[in-house]
Amino acid sequence: MTSAPSLLERRAGRAERDRHIPGEAGLWILIFGDMTVFAVLFAVYLHNRGAQPVVFAKSQETLNRNFGAINTLLLLTSSLLVVLATRAVRGQARKHAPRLVAGAMACGLGFIVIKIFEYHDKISAGLTPSTNKFYMYYFVLTGVHLAHLVVGLVVLAVLGNLARKPELTSTNLMFFEGGACFWHMVDLLWIVLFPLLFLVR
Amino acid sequence: MTTMLRTRASAIWIVLVLATTLSWTLGSESGFGTESHKIASVVILVVALFKVRLVGLYFMELRDAPTALRAIFEFYCAAVCAMTIGLFLFA
């Protein structure tokens, strides 16, 4: 028997001792640390927007909202697939897990393709980080997020390999949960970035 | 495969997609700088943090995490929601 609690135990137990840290505690320092850094970036962006509301609103008009929204849907879908993959490796439907992870990765790659189109549109129209403060923040925030997404894809590739193993140890399962949470964080950060950069004005 | 998709996570995913569509529609309305768009923007921010909370509680499984971990996350959602709306309206 592994040390990871079974599904039944998890469902039944609401007592504090039965509660379960997804992945491991150290990972959550990284995740909350990253989320805090992004929260500061959100604040800096909004603070600068307050100083130049017209510049920000006019520049935002040039963004393609559909690209941003489709990317949101892609990440939400990839997150769902990772949740289903996590359930699969824990339970009976193990054989589905590699395909679910591959599907999540495909959504992540789709996000990158759309971002390339988006950046290409802007840069070929002469809109670069040096154009004004809005574009500076747009490129920095989406760029830092994209870097996280690329790291997330590498993590998913590792999870995909784990999912193919015939037996998973409790350490393997813990790593799977942790990697899944990192991917959900990439999704979660985009959920705030998309409205901030594309919608709110 | 179909039974596998009939989970709470899938139901949450549907809510997240609907919320995204709502924000997309609200954010695509013309007439920036108007009072009505200011209200729409606040709604969009509240919806965004509501979505963040759903991803954390159901996808990251913080609902079943130790109280301290969940509390940090809940605090993060509330703080970012208040901070973004506050800075949006008053910065």
Side-chain angles (χ1 to χ4, degrees):
Chain A
M1 214 28 225
T2 62
S3 63
S6 76
L7 199 66
L8 257 176
E9 283 169 323
R10 291 166 53 75
R11 285 220 174 122
R14 274 289 178 273
E16 190 63 32
R17 68 190 152 77
D18 292 330
R19 290 182 170 271
H20 169 72
I21 295 179
E24 51 133 0
L27 171 81
W28 285 95
I29 296 172
L30 175 86
I31 289 181
F32 282 132
D34 246 359
M35 283 166 60
T36 306
V37 170
F38 269 90
V40 172
L41 291 173
F42 302 154
V44 171
Y45 168 81
L46 283 167
H47 180 75
N48 278 278
R49 176 194 163 274
Q52 300 176 302
V54 178
V55 171
F56 273 59
K58 286 224 152 75
S59 307
Q60 188 193 58
E61 280 292 296
T62 67
L63 298 188
N64 188 331
R65 284 188 205 107
N66 297 342
F67 280 163
I70 291 164
N71 267 345
T72 309
L73 298 178
L74 279 174
L75 287 190
L76 289 174
T77 305
S78 74
S79 262
L80 174 65
L81 293 172
V82 167
V83 170
L84 296 177
T86 309
R87 289 170 54 100
V89 294
R90 278 180 190 148
Q92 305 302 316
R94 280 281 303 282
K95 61 177 162 52
H96 294 305
R99 268 190 295 157
L100 290 165
V101 174
M105 290 182 75
C107 292
L109 289 171
F111 183 100
I112 295 178
V113 170
I114 288 181
K115 265 278 156 292
I116 291 171
F117 275 115
E118 212 182 305
Y119 284 162
H120 179 262
D121 275 4
K122 293 291 147 290
I123 292 166
S124 59
L127 303 168
T128 68
S130 57
T131 303
N132 64 34
K133 275 209 159 155
F134 174 84
Y135 291 110
M136 203 271 277
Y137 284 110
Y138 162 77
F139 280 105
V140 168
L141 288 168
T142 56
V144 174
H145 177 264
L146 194 60
H148 279 75
L149 185 127
V150 171
V151 173
L153 279 176
V154 175
V155 171
L156 287 187
V158 177
L159 299 193
N161 269 326
L162 271 184
R164 265 177 223 102
K165 279 180 56 167
E167 275 306 316
L168 287 190
T169 64
S170 58
T171 314
N172 287 157
L173 271 179
M174 194 174 78
F175 185 86
F176 202 102
E177 285 179 0
C181 283
F182 184 85
W183 185 256
H184 296 316
M185 181 194 75
V186 172
D187 180 17
L188 182 154
L189 293 172
W190 182 255
I191 288 175
V192 185
L193 271 181
F194 165 56
L196 272 191
L197 293 171
F198 289 73
L199 301 179
V200 159
R201 60 191 181 275
Chain B
M1 197 76 186
T2 42
T3 50
M4 198 169 70
L5 286 172
R6 264 189 231 121
T7 63
R8 185 162 55 196
S10 307
I12 297 294
W13 178 83
I14 291 169
V15 174
L16 288 166
V17 169
L18 291 176
T20 304
T21 314
L22 170 71
S23 301
W24 191 353
T25 315
L26 280 176
S28 301
E29 276 169 15
S30 52
F32 69 82
T34 61
E35 201 57 35
S36 74
H37 203 279
K38 213 168 206 176
I39 297 164
S41 295
V42 172
V43 173
I44 288 167
L45 288 172
V46 172
V47 169
L49 271 301
F50 168 72
K51 285 164 67 186
V52 164
R53 191 165 173 267
L54 288 184
V55 169
L57 293 189
Y58 293 93
F59 288 0
M60 291 174 155
E61 301 183 329
L62 290 173
R63 236 172 124 256
D64 302 316
T67 313
L69 194 60
R70 178 172 174 170
I72 295 172
F73 179 72
E74 297 275 11
F75 173 78
Y76 179 88
C77 294
V80 172
C81 191
M83 181 270 284
T84 49
I85 291 172
L87 281 174
F88 168 70
L89 291 175
F90 305 114

